Amino acid sequence: MIQRSLLRQCRIISRSSIRPPTNILQLPRSPYHATRIRAIPFFRPPPSTSRCYSTQPNGTDDVKSEVETSTVEESKNDSEANPAQKELEAKNKEIVDLKDKYLRSVAEFRNLQERTKREVQSARDFAITKFAKDLIDSVDNLDRALSTVPESKLVPSSSSSMSSSSSSDAAANANADADAIEAAHDKDLVNLYQGLKMTERLLMQTLSKHGLERFDPAEKGDMFDPNLHEATFQTRVEGKEDGTTFLTQQKGFLLNGRVVRAAKVGVVKNT
């Protein structure tokens, strides 16, 4: 646009300079001259030497002004569009923040649920820990009472062989009465033992339903485990591997996999 305006001005100036001036010198008409003298213009520059000049010192000012006007217009358009753009960016940022807070809240709530569930389960599993510790002594006493009965008393004795015909009838009657009394005593002992054994069995079944279990490491010949066993002594035992439990002095108890009381055992040490 600047170049076109400059060319237009140059053309107008060149046309005005080429056009002959209207002020022509009119010489007085002499009677001696019959011919008419043609008026000569004061100045007529040659067409080839015409030049265009700008009224402004430099053409860069127009460029600068147009650039400034364009920047002002762009700034106006930006100022008009900026509020909506800023509002959209603020809304998007708010949405991202709210989504992040929502996801964090959901994760925290799920962690709280899992933690509460574990705590409730742990409280349910080990709620009777103190009661189990107090009941273990009674179970031990019942076990000791059963272990004091010799196995020979539990097996019914065979009837004695009939005496020879030479033995007296009085001795035979006395022996028969003694055998009857001993058999009656053994029968009472067996019945008592069986009753105690049944009581122990029912008690252990009830405790097992609530997670309390008794274990005897020497019964299966388990290896010594410091988490489950307590070694009271060590000794040489032929035919057994080192670290094997061969004697249980006191049985252990577990409550839902947790040790309530470690078993006191004797451990093999051959080396």
Side-chain angles (χ1 to χ4, degrees):
M1 291 177 64
I2 297 172
Q3 292 179 357
R4 289 181 182 178
S5 60
L6 291 175
L7 290 174
R8 194 180 293 112
Q9 291 179 3
C10 290
R11 288 176 183 175
I12 292 170
I13 293 171
S14 62
R15 287 176 185 175
S16 62
S17 63
I18 293 172
R19 185 180 300 173
T22 56
N23 298 327
I24 301 174
L25 181 61
Q26 298 288 340
L27 296 176
R29 193 169 185 177
S30 175
Y32 298 100
H33 294 83
T35 60
R36 186 178 178 178
I37 300 173
R38 187 179 178 182
I40 301 172
F42 288 101
F43 176 73
R44 179 182 291 179
S48 60
T49 61
S50 63
R51 293 183 179 180
C52 299
Y53 296 95
S54 174
T55 57
Q56 296 180 359
N58 288 323
T60 57
D61 296 336
D62 295 336
V63 177
K64 289 180 179 180
S65 62
E66 288 190 0
V67 171
E68 290 177 355
T69 54
S70 63
T71 54
V72 170
E73 291 178 356
E74 289 179 357
S75 62
K76 288 181 180 180
N77 294 331
D78 293 340
S79 62
E80 292 177 357
N82 274 338
Q85 186 69 22
K86 289 180 179 179
E87 186 177 359
L88 180 61
E89 292 177 357
K91 295 295 182 183
N92 292 333
K93 186 177 180 180
E94 185 177 0
I95 289 171
V96 172
D97 294 339
L98 291 175
K99 185 176 180 181
D100 183 67
K101 291 179 180 179
Y102 169 73
L103 294 176
R104 290 180 183 275
S105 300
V106 170
E108 290 179 358
F109 181 71
R110 289 180 179 176
N111 292 334
L112 179 61
Q113 282 184 328
E114 294 295 331
R115 185 166 58 253
T116 306
K117 185 177 179 180
R118 290 194 300 267
E119 290 177 356
V120 169
Q121 187 65 30
S122 177
R124 183 181 300 171
D125 291 340
F126 306 107
I128 62 171
T129 302
K130 187 176 181 181
F131 173 72
K133 289 181 179 179
D134 295 337
L135 191 62
I136 284 173
D137 295 334
S138 300
V139 177
D140 288 340
N141 291 331
L142 188 59
D143 189 24
R144 292 190 191 100
L146 293 173
S147 63
T148 55
V149 179
E151 294 182 359
S152 60
K153 296 293 184 179
L154 301 177
V155 178
S157 60
S158 60
S159 60
S160 59
S161 60
M162 297 298 295
S163 60
S164 60
S165 58
S166 61
S167 60
S168 62
D169 294 337
N173 292 331
N175 291 332
D177 293 338
D179 292 339
I181 294 172
E182 186 178 358
H185 290 172
D186 291 343
K187 186 177 180 181
D188 293 338
L189 182 61
V190 170
N191 291 336
L192 178 61
Y193 179 85
Q194 290 177 355
L196 291 175
K197 192 69 175 177
M198 188 179 297
T199 303
E200 184 193 26
R201 188 183 303 110
L202 292 175
L203 179 61
M204 294 309 301
Q205 288 178 358
T206 304
L207 294 177
S208 179
K209 289 180 181 178
H210 295 279
L212 184 63
E213 297 179 354
R214 184 175 60 181
F215 65 95
D216 186 359
E219 185 178 356
K220 297 180 180 179
D222 297 337
M223 298 297 293
F224 177 75
D225 186 356
N227 297 320
L228 301 175
H229 308 150
E230 180 183 351
T232 56
F233 66 95
Q234 293 178 340
T235 186
R236 296 176 60 90
V237 178
E238 298 296 334
K240 289 187 181 259
E241 186 180 357
D242 289 351
T244 307
T245 58
F246 72 96
L247 178 64
T248 302
Q249 291 181 336
Q250 191 178 45
K251 296 179 181 179
F253 285 87
L254 295 173
L255 180 61
N256 294 317
R258 181 185 293 180
V259 178
V260 178
R261 188 183 70 184
K264 294 182 180 181
V265 297
V267 184
V268 177
K269 186 177 181 182
N270 295 323
T271 58

